[in-house]
Amino acid sequence: MNSFDFPSSMTANFGRVVPLDSSAILSLILSATVGIILVLFFRYKHKSFVNLPPGKLGFPLIGETIPFLQALRSETPQKFFDEKVKKFGLVFKTSLVGHPTVVFCGPAGNRLILSNENKLVHIAWPNSFMKVIGQDSLLSKTGEKHRIVRSALSNFLRPQALQIYMAKMSTEIQSHINEKWKGKDEVKMLPLVSDLVLSIATSLFFGINDEHQREVIHNLLDIISVGQVAVPLDIPGTRYRKALEARSELDKILSDLIENRRTDLCSGRASSNQDLLSVLLTFKDERGNPLTDKEIRDNFSLLLHGSHYTTVSVMTLTFKLLYSNPECYEKVVQEQLEMLGNVKEGEEITWKDLREMKYTWQVVQETVRILPPVFGTFRKAITDIHYDGYTIPKGWRILWTTYSTHKKEEYFNEPDKFKPSRFQEEGKNLTPYTFLPFGA
């Protein structure tokens, strides 16, 4: 077709129909495209005249997402940040996972971001990540909604409640060690620790004791874990699409668990505090409103990932570092033997016993300092932020990172050395906002 006509309905306005040849059409398309680009450019870039931090945004759409994700999966994730700090300073701009982002490094930047929640910033993970983890989870909530969900979860996660579940955890751990660790000349740490942590989580969260059901959940979590930090291409065959599909399967399992437990609660076969599922199903806010099923599913998705992979990595890396530092290992063994000397045959480990494991806890702290389980968290500027002579526009993403302080000589003496005692010797003198393995 060499020409197009305007619809006849336009004749009344223009008096006649004007045929257009191909060159005219192309000219119109080009003009419209340029016009739209200019409008969007000036609408979005109206703040480009402000003094943005130095840095570069990388390629269109993907920005610097690929080198960022490659760094996180490498043995030296801090390099991505160190190289940019060396080039641009402690505050720099980039573009990550589809969002222009300003990265803050150092304790002053950490303090600004982590002490101004709902004042200057609120938590805002990339949309692609939230699509996998759960858009109705605690991570997505702000203000009053965040407080309500946090209140629901704290009924289960507060220290007083955890003390109640210690006997159940102790039984689960002892059973796991007897079955899969004892009598073995050699064990593979990562899969065994992963199985153990998931067993504890599914038991405390849902009361699941069936090995097959646990294995199904475990496999789905593995797929989701890989996909949530992959390039977010929602097309068949990609890791991201597989993660979305696995999350859909996990939702089916969670929906069945919710429905069955709701029935058991109504009939009296389940109690309101027997596990986290019961706690969330029976929770009501001050106005008498319960959580929706989607909120419950999304928060379980968040907690399964948060409790599983961070705990597994810390436990596995603690063993690895103890193996590489036999003098520290001997101190841990000695402390455990002294503690067990005060426990009678058949007695469970108590909360008081845990609090006596001071050197063991220092070992864990040193592990998460050297190899932090969380690289940092994203925020979103809810107003223009003025900092160090720069302006971060409202709506931009902000990232703080553990890698900017945890292994820096100016904050930790001999930062590359595994030295648990530093948390006894230097603990009270640590610069605030330098040790943040799980945030503030």
Side-chain angles (χ1 to χ4, degrees):
M1 184 179 291
N2 293 320
S3 65
F4 291 88
D5 289 341
F6 285 108
S8 58
S9 60
M10 296 185 66
T11 306
N13 295 326
F14 292 93
R16 62 191 177 90
V17 174
V18 181
L20 299 175
D21 61 24
S22 299
S23 61
I25 294 168
L26 289 175
S27 178
L28 273 175
I29 294 172
L30 180 61
S31 298
T33 303
V34 171
I36 291 169
I37 289 173
L38 286 173
V39 169
L40 292 176
F41 177 83
F42 284 110
R43 180 181 295 173
Y44 179 74
K45 291 290 187 179
H46 72 285
K47 294 187 178 179
S48 63
F49 302 103
V50 303
N51 190 23
L52 291 169
K56 59 180 183 177
L57 299 178
F59 295 104
L61 299 179
I62 62 172
E64 297 186 297
T65 300
I66 292 177
F68 172 67
L69 294 178
Q70 286 175 336
L72 291 186
R73 288 195 289 263
S74 74
E75 293 185 0
T76 54
Q78 66 274 13
K79 273 192 174 181
F80 177 86
F81 302 99
D82 288 348
E83 289 172 0
K84 292 188 176 296
V85 167
K86 187 175 180 181
K87 189 173 182 179
F88 302 118
L90 291 174
V91 185
F92 60 86
K93 69 173 178 283
T94 180
S95 179
L96 301 174
V97 204
H99 301 284
T101 303
V102 172
V103 180
F104 284 79
C105 297
N110 292 343
R111 180 192 294 272
L112 177 77
I113 302 309
L114 295 172
S115 64
N116 281 290
E117 189 74 21
N118 295 321
K119 299 174 186 174
L120 299 178
V121 300
H122 63 61
I123 196 161
W125 287 89
N127 294 335
S128 56
F129 176 85
M130 293 305 301
K131 206 172 172 184
V132 175
I133 293 300
Q135 294 172 317
D136 257 342
S137 70
L138 184 68
L139 281 185
S140 67
K141 306 291 186 182
T142 59
E144 182 66 8
K145 290 182 179 179
H146 183 276
R147 185 195 65 78
I148 289 171
V149 176
R150 190 179 180 90
S151 174
L153 295 173
S154 69
N155 287 338
F156 177 83
L157 296 173
R158 67 184 188 276
Q160 296 90 333
L162 290 175
Q163 293 178 49
I164 299 171
Y165 303 119
M166 277 193 60
K168 195 172 186 180
M169 293 172 67
S170 181
T171 300
E172 192 77 43
I173 293 168
Q174 190 63 60
S175 173
H176 193 275
I177 290 174
N178 289 339
E179 182 182 341
K180 300 182 179 180
W181 295 60
K182 275 190 174 179
K184 305 289 193 300
D185 293 329
E186 181 180 284
V187 294
K188 290 186 178 180
M189 283 296 305
L190 182 58
L192 282 176
V193 169
S194 184
D195 285 345
L196 171 59
V197 173
L198 187 72
S199 296
I200 294 171
T202 53
S203 176
L204 293 180
F205 290 175
F206 318 112
I208 292 177
N209 297 306
D210 180 71
E211 282 291 330
H212 174 70
Q213 196 168 15
R214 285 177 172 176
E215 186 177 346
V216 170
I217 293 174
H218 198 169
N219 291 337
L220 292 174
L221 290 177
D222 283 342
I223 296 170
I224 294 170
S225 177
V226 171
Q228 71 188 20
V229 291
V231 176
L233 295 175
D234 188 6
I235 55 178
T238 62
R239 291 176 175 178
Y240 185 70
R241 169 64 72 84
K242 290 177 181 177
L244 291 174
E245 292 169 347
R247 175 58 208 275
S248 180
E249 289 300 311
L250 180 62
D251 276 351
K252 292 177 184 176
I253 295 172
L254 293 174
S255 293
D256 287 343
L257 289 169
I258 289 170
E259 195 57 41
N260 292 336
R261 180 59 59 82
R262 186 175 278 126
T263 301
D264 289 345
L265 285 167
C266 289
S267 66
R269 290 193 299 270
S271 66
S272 61
N273 64 349
Q274 70 181 51
D275 53 28
L276 183 56
L277 180 55
S278 283
V279 168
L280 295 185
L281 278 172
T282 56
F283 172 81
K284 285 185 173 59
D285 65 17
E286 294 90 338
R287 298 176 182 176
N289 298 317
L291 298 176
T292 67
D293 283 7
K294 188 174 188 307
E295 284 178 315
I296 293 174
R297 288 196 304 269
D298 284 359
N299 279 292
F300 272 127
S301 170
L302 170 65
L303 287 171
L304 282 169
H305 282 84
S307 66
H308 188 229
Y309 290 103
T310 53
T311 309
V312 169
S313 65
V314 171
M315 287 179 65
T316 304
L317 293 170
T318 297
F319 277 96
K320 181 180 187 298
L321 289 169
L322 285 174
Y323 173 79
S324 303
N325 296 271
E327 71 285 355
C328 297
Y329 168 77
E330 290 300 332
K331 286 184 180 180
V332 169
V333 171
Q334 186 59 37
E335 182 174 75
Q336 296 296 309
L337 290 175
E338 289 175 3
M339 187 271 299
L340 286 173
N342 298 320
V343 177
K344 297 178 181 178
E345 185 70 28
E347 287 184 345
E348 298 286 359
I349 302 297
T350 66
W351 188 261
K352 181 176 179 294
D353 294 326
L354 284 180
R355 293 177 64 84
E356 292 300 317
M357 300 180 192
K358 299 188 185 303
Y359 185 76
T360 304
W361 179 236
Q362 291 166 19
V363 166
V364 176
Q365 287 179 295
E366 182 70 340
T367 299
V368 296
R369 182 193 68 81
I370 291 179
L371 298 163
V374 176
F375 70 87
T377 54
F378 287 93
R379 298 291 194 276
K380 182 178 180 179
I382 57 179
T383 184
D384 286 356
I385 298 173
H386 304 284
Y387 178 79
D388 202 23
Y390 302 117
T391 298
I392 295 88
K394 177 182 177 180
W396 276 45
R397 291 296 198 273
I398 292 170
L399 174 66
W400 71 271
T401 173
T402 51
Y403 298 125
S404 72
T405 57
H406 275 213
K407 294 185 74 175
K408 301 301 180 186
E409 183 75 42
E410 55 264 45
Y411 310 122
F412 296 96
N413 184 38
E414 298 180 288
D416 293 320
K417 184 177 180 181
F418 184 70
K419 193 169 75 169
S421 60
R422 76 169 75 245
F423 285 94
Q424 180 180 1
E425 299 161 1
E426 309 167 18
K428 293 182 180 179
N429 297 318
L430 285 179
T431 302
Y433 291 91
T434 56
F435 180 62
L436 301 163
F438 295 100

